[in-house]
Structure formats: structure tokens, C-alpha cells
Amino acid sequence: MKNHTKIETSKPDKTTLKKIQELRIFVDFVSNLEFATEDNKTKAKEIKYLIENIHNYKTHRNWNICLDIYDREIQNGIKSEGIYWRKWSVFFENEMLEIVAESNHTTEDLGHYGDDFCYYGTLLFAENIKEQRTYFDVDINEFIKDSMNYEKYVTDSLNDLKIDIDIWE
């Protein structure tokens, strides 16, 4: 008799789907920043709709919303060391929701550096998966709260603010 690996076939649970709704606060925050364009605001409205209906697989589309702070002098090699990128991002792509807040440093390219807030969360929507469906290292509200305090990460050189809001097939 063969030993079969159990495949999780259920969809994400209602509690998790309800928690994901809090991401609409992040969407509102980013799309209402003073440097958001009308195109950003239009796409943000659609992303909020997609989040509200994330339980409905028929409405799934690929999208992202990101708030980034860059230090162009470090990124372009003018200065040699330091944090060159601070980001808060939410991606929904290929039936996976990914939420990340991290700093990128010249000597430690990924994840956590220093005393900054670092966050990682994923939720897989595929119906037949073998992996863990849900992982959030801390509450989504902590991610949102840190993003709303993005100005504490701005320095004299880490000061180039950008947002990216996009939807694609």
C-alpha cells in the first residue's frame, strides 16, 4: 500500500479572507498620498473591489500596490553603503497573495536590516496545494501601521518616494 501525501483541497477559510479585507486600508492610504496620480487612484478603486471579492475566484486578476523609498545615490553607486530601498508591497499574482515590508541594504540585500520593521505574509488560493496555504509572521495591521509611518524611514538620502499600482492579466 502506497503512502499518499494529503493534498489540501479546501479554499482559504472565512476568518483569513475577512482579515485580508484590512488591506483595503493600505490601498486607500497609498492611493491618497499626495504624489498619487489619477491613474493610481482609478486602479486602486479596482484593487479594492478585487480584495472585497477575493473569495470569488472568478474575479481574480493579477495586481500590485507598492510604496517605495529609494536612496538613488547608493542604488547608483555614488555612495558605497547603506539602505537603498525601503518597501511595502502587496502582490496578487498566479493565485497567490504576497505581503512584504523590508529594507534592502548594500551588504544585506534581502529582508531585515537593523531596527526596521520586517513583514512577510502569503495566502495561496489554488484549490489543490501541498504547501502551507496561509503564512503571516505578524498581524496584517502591523504591516499597515508601519506603512502609514513611512516618514520615519525617510532620511536626507533615502528620500525618493514612489508608488506603483497596477493591474494586469
Side-chain angles (χ1 to χ4, degrees), residues 58-103:
K58 292 178 182 177
T59 64
H60 285 185
R61 292 185 65 196
N62 296 321
W63 55 266
N64 71 275
I65 184 160
C66 308
L67 170 61
D68 302 298
I69 311 171
Y70 297 100
D71 182 327
R72 298 295 182 187
E73 290 182 353
I74 294 173
Q75 193 174 31
N76 294 326
I78 297 167
K79 290 184 351 187
S80 61
E81 190 171 325
I83 295 174
Y84 67 90
W85 184 14
R86 177 71 190 155
K87 64 183 170 183
W88 298 264
S89 59
V90 180
F91 281 85
F92 187 89
E93 191 171 14
N94 299 322
E95 298 300 316
M96 181 175 85
L97 179 72
E98 183 176 41
I99 307 165
V100 178
E102 67 182 10
S103 295

Side-chain angles (χ1 to χ4, degrees), residues 8 32 89 92 101 131 142 144 156:
E8 185 177 345
N32 287 312
S89 59
F92 187 89
E131 299 86 14
E142 294 301 314
I144 295 166
D156 288 341

